[in-house]
């Protein structure tokens, strides 16, 4: 199986080649795109080739050559628009900070768009949301950057960047989690609270012990007087 990235219309050749030492002799060869059969345009003793002109997104997809003889083998070529490098792990930030998301691709898209997910709907950031809150920067043609300023808990959620190529669009997903500024202090506060409870318990015990001791001394003095 082989993946082939195409950002713009192109003419390509796909070739299935059988190893010279293969036990598969004189196979019947069929090329398919989905369930559609495609005739190969050239053939040698051990290879079969199709020539394609990819001019629109509907012509992308998987092309498979199937070789049948004593057994059946196949090879698949996946034609797709270039993938975008995003971020798999969630972005963790704190209230009041700035969150930065960066999308990259090896090719040059003709347009970039950032979205914020609102349920199943994707809201274009540059058209709807306030630009004093969101800043979109393009350091280069193949890189796009989103900055979210003065973070609040309402900014939590899923964001998408999309690169538009002539043969279709490609998306990358980002997840943003915004924590309260006191979140990092919670373990410390818990430890301090435990220490405070422990110290208070000791102090109360000592006070109680002293009072009890004084009470015993008074009873002893009364007995002596009697």
């Amino acid at each position: 199986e082989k993946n082939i990235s195409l950002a713009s219309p192109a003419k390509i050749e796909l070739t299935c080649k059988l190893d010279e030492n293969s036990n598969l002799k004189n196979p019947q060869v069929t090329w398919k795109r989905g369930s559609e059969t495609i005739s190969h345009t050239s053939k040698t003793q051990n290879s079969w080739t199709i020539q394609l002109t990819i001019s629109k997104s509907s012509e992308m997809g998987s092309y498979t050559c199937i070789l049948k003889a004593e057994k059946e083998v196949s090879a698949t070529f996946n034609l797709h628009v270039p993938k975008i490098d995003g971020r798999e792990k969630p972005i963790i930030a704190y209230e009041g900070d700035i969150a930065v998301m960066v999308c990259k691709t090896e090719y040059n898209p003709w347009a970039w768009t950032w979205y914020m997910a609102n349920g199943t709907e994707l809201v274009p950031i540059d058209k709807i949301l306030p630009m004093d809150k969101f800043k979109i920067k393009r350091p280069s043609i193949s890189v796009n950057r989103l900055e979210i300023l003065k973070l609040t808990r309402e900014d939590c959620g899923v964001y998408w960047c999309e690169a538009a190529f002539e043969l279709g669009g490609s998306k990358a997903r980002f997840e943003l989690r915004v924590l309260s500024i006191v979140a990092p202090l919670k373990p410390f506060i818990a430890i301090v609270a435990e220490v405070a409870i422990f110290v208070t318990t000791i102090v109360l015990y000592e006070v109680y012990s002293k009072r009890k001791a004084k009470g015993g001394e008074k009873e002893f003095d009364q007995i002596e007087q009697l």
Side-chain angles (χ1 to χ4, degrees):
E1 189 167 350
K2 185 175 182 180
N3 295 315
I4 301 174
S5 296
L6 292 176
S8 58
K11 291 183 179 181
I12 62 172
E13 286 188 351
L14 305 179
T15 300
C16 273
K17 187 175 182 180
L18 194 62
D19 190 279
E20 294 180 358
N21 299 322
S22 173
N23 295 324
L24 204 64
K25 305 299 181 182
N26 300 319
Q28 293 182 349
V29 179
T30 305
W31 278 93
K32 284 191 173 184
R33 180 181 180 273
S35 59
E36 177 189 0
T37 299
I38 305 169
S39 58
H40 45 266
T41 54
S42 63
K43 172 185 175 182
T44 66
Q45 184 177 356
N46 292 311
S47 68
W48 297 264
T49 300
I50 58 172
Q51 293 179 346
L52 303 172
T53 300
I54 306 298
S55 58
K56 51 187 177 181
S57 60
S58 60
E59 294 169 341
M60 305 283 272
S62 297
Y63 291 79
T64 304
C65 68
I66 304 168
L67 285 68
K68 290 182 180 180
E70 300 85 10
K71 60 179 180 179
E72 180 178 306
V73 295
S74 63
T76 301
F77 300 84
N78 300 311
L79 308 185
H80 56 77
V81 293
K83 294 182 179 180
I84 300 174
D85 295 330
R87 183 186 174 97
E88 295 182 2
K89 295 182 179 180
I91 298 172
I92 308 297
Y94 297 97
E95 291 179 320
D97 285 348
I98 299 175
V100 178
M101 304 175 194
V102 180
C103 275
K104 298 179 182 179
T105 177
E106 294 180 1
Y107 299 82
N108 296 331
W110 58 267
W112 287 93
T113 307
W114 283 92
Y115 300 94
M116 182 177 184
N118 183 12
T120 57
E121 181 184 4
L122 295 182
V123 180
I125 289 176
D126 60 338
K127 295 181 180 178
I128 298 177
L129 301 177
M131 295 311 295
D132 59 343
K133 174 73 173 178
F134 299 88
K135 291 189 179 298
I136 298 175
K137 299 179 180 180
R138 194 170 182 176
S140 66
I141 297 177
S142 59
V143 178
N144 207 265
R145 175 186 174 108
L146 172 66
E147 295 179 359
I148 307 175
L149 311 179
K150 299 178 182 177
L151 289 173
T152 65
R153 299 297 292 275
E154 287 73 24
D155 296 321
C156 290
V158 175
Y159 296 79
W160 293 86
C161 74
E162 180 180 29
F165 300 96
E166 292 183 62
L167 293 173
S170 183
K171 289 188 178 72
R173 181 182 183 275
F174 296 83
E175 181 182 352
L176 175 62
R177 297 178 186 175
V178 181
L179 305 180
S180 169
I181 195 66
V182 300
L185 300 177
K186 285 183 178 179
F188 175 74
I189 293 173
I191 293 173
V192 171
E194 289 181 2
V195 172
I197 293 172
F198 181 71
V199 172
T200 302
T201 302
I202 293 175
V203 170
L204 291 175
Y205 177 77
E206 289 182 350
V207 171
Y208 172 76
S209 299
K210 289 179 180 179
R211 287 182 178 179
K212 189 175 181 180
K214 287 181 179 179
E217 289 176 358
K218 287 180 179 180
E219 289 181 1
F220 182 74
D221 290 342
Q222 291 175 356
I223 292 171
E224 279 190 338
Q225 290 175 1
L226 288 172

